[in-house]
Amino acid sequence: MRASLIVHGGAGNIPENAAADFRRGVRAGLEAGWEVLSQGGAAIDAVEAAIVALEEDPALDAGVGSHLNRDGHVQLDAILMDGVTLKAGAVAAVERIRNPIRLARMVLEKSEHMMLVGAGAEQFATEHGLRLCDPEKLVTDSARQEWRKTRTKRATKEAVAQEPCGTVGAVAMDERGNLVAGTSTGGTRGKHPGRVGDSPLIGCGCYADSKAGGISCTGYGEGIMKIVMAKMAADLLRDPRVLPAHRKKRGPATIAQAVADACIRILERRAHATGGLILMDREGRPAAAYSTPRMAYGYVDPSGRFVIVP
Ligand code: GLY
């Protein structure tokens, strides 16, 4: 099979003057993931490498540069899911992990559990040789400034819901047909301490099934959770006959695109929320859709060229 990769740096109200930073982050994610896949490496290594690169980018809401919660702390969530075994590894509300996707992979591979949170997740990291970081090293000057503004604004629930959300993710298929998806986030700006959104929840912010496809979501987590969006996309990829576009002569170019569009429509109509998703069908065809002003994403086209949006 031909290897395939799609990554995102988040959907939201990305201002024009920040678009170049988001493009740079997406390119770094594609380069890191494609380096693995183009040399015949495994999808799981590619997704981990891509998401580590995205977490390291201070412009994106994951790892370094994440939004701060109401108390001014970074609390991170991540998940990695293997489409062959359907096993996932997820962590939530961790504060001292620089690259939560690495810890999510450890949970996937070394734990009998699928999700660990807070202090217990950090204890697991230490037990398995992943060093804890100084939480202040995850905080950028711009995140601190934004936090100060949010506090003085006394943001309402609605205002927070409309804020740009960020989140990063990747879906990869390797030459052997293994499909893996992952998502990592700092969550919403000014969130309540302990709040966990869609990102690390299996079926909400991420899903992978090599008999259907792989998905990573971004946007307002409380809306995405209502419709269990990633699993919904996987179910539609498995059987797209219920899609209206499937019955139309002139619709989206691929079933994968029709599924992505349908999920975002349902997110808007049924959950009254905005967001985006990237996905890949079981043949490795990528697609993306969003209802926010922008979403930063990119994929590798069949000729090996990087296509980066916006
Ligand atoms: N989609 C990221 C979050 O709501 O936490």
Side-chain angles (χ1 to χ4, degrees):
M1 283 194 94
R2 195 165 43 78
S4 185
L5 176 68
I6 182 165
V7 311
H8 73 83
N13 193 13
I14 302 168
E16 182 61 39
N17 62 8
D21 291 341
F22 279 76
R23 261 198 305 278
R24 179 200 61 213
V26 166
R27 176 169 293 282
L30 284 175
E31 281 170 355
W34 197 241
E35 163 120 19
V36 175
L37 289 175
S38 61
Q39 293 176 26
I44 192 164
D45 294 327
V47 170
E48 183 185 7
I51 294 183
V52 166
L54 295 160
E55 288 173 340
E56 287 294 327
D57 193 306
L60 308 179
D61 179 30
V64 179
S66 289
H67 296 323
L68 305 190
N69 69 12
R70 201 183 66 181
D71 290 353
H73 299 137
V74 163
Q75 280 191 330
L76 303 172
D77 311 324
I79 181 170
L80 192 64
M81 183 162 181
D82 178 339
V84 174
T85 62
L86 299 185
K87 173 105 167 51
V91 295
V94 293
E95 298 190 359
R96 294 182 295 165
I97 305 291
R98 187 176 175 98
N99 296 114
I101 198 70
R102 287 202 201 284
L103 184 55
R105 180 170 182 173
M106 284 180 172
V107 174
L108 193 161
E109 292 179 337
K110 298 184 186 339
S111 172
E112 73 271 35
H113 307 303
M114 279 211 197
M115 185 174 205
L116 297 173
V117 306
E122 293 179 357
Q123 183 184 339
F124 182 84
T126 310
E127 286 165 4
H128 290 84
L130 189 65
R131 256 197 315 163
L132 303 184
C133 72
D134 173 357
E136 278 303 308
K137 293 265 184 311
L138 302 172
V139 180
T140 57
D141 289 345
S142 66
R144 182 64 71 198
Q145 271 168 22
E146 284 294 339
W147 175 71
R148 289 205 184 95
K149 268 198 260 163
T150 312
R151 285 181 85 209
T152 49
K153 259 200 290 178
R154 291 201 172 279
T156 61
K157 257 195 323 196
E158 287 73 19
V160 171
Q162 283 156 25
E163 290 285 341
C165 282
T167 300
V168 307
V171 186
M173 180 177 282
D174 62 31
E175 288 173 0
R176 292 164 291 286
N178 297 312
L179 184 72
V180 173
T183 303
S184 181
T185 192
T188 47
R189 182 178 293 145
K191 65 188 180 184
H192 195 286
R195 176 265 186 191
V196 176
D198 62 299
S199 301
L201 302 184
I202 189 166
C204 292
C206 180
Y207 200 76
D209 180 348
S210 49
K211 297 197 182 309
I215 301 98
S216 173
C217 303
T218 164
Y220 184 50
E222 279 69 7
I224 295 170
M225 285 187 272
K226 282 182 182 171
I227 61 166
V228 195
M229 189 158 81
K231 180 61 163 63
M232 182 171 71
D235 289 342
L236 288 171
L237 284 169
R238 191 192 320 273
D239 183 3
R241 283 172 300 180
V242 295
L243 289 173
H246 191 254
R247 295 191 288 270
K248 281 192 199 142
K249 283 211 174 68
R250 283 164 57 85
T254 62
I255 295 290
Q257 188 59 53
V259 168
D261 293 345
C263 289
I264 293 305
R265 242 183 353 258
I266 294 166
L267 180 66
E268 279 195 306
R269 291 188 189 162
R270 192 69 189 91
H272 309 293
T274 58
L277 80 169
I278 56 167
L279 59 79
M280 184 180 290
D281 70 14
R282 59 182 170 235
E283 310 294 336
R285 280 181 288 257
Y290 56 97
S291 53
T292 48
R294 286 181 202 252
M295 181 167 85
Y297 69 96
Y299 59 91
V300 184
D301 79 5
S303 68
R305 194 174 58 99
F306 291 177
V307 178
I308 297 176
V309 183

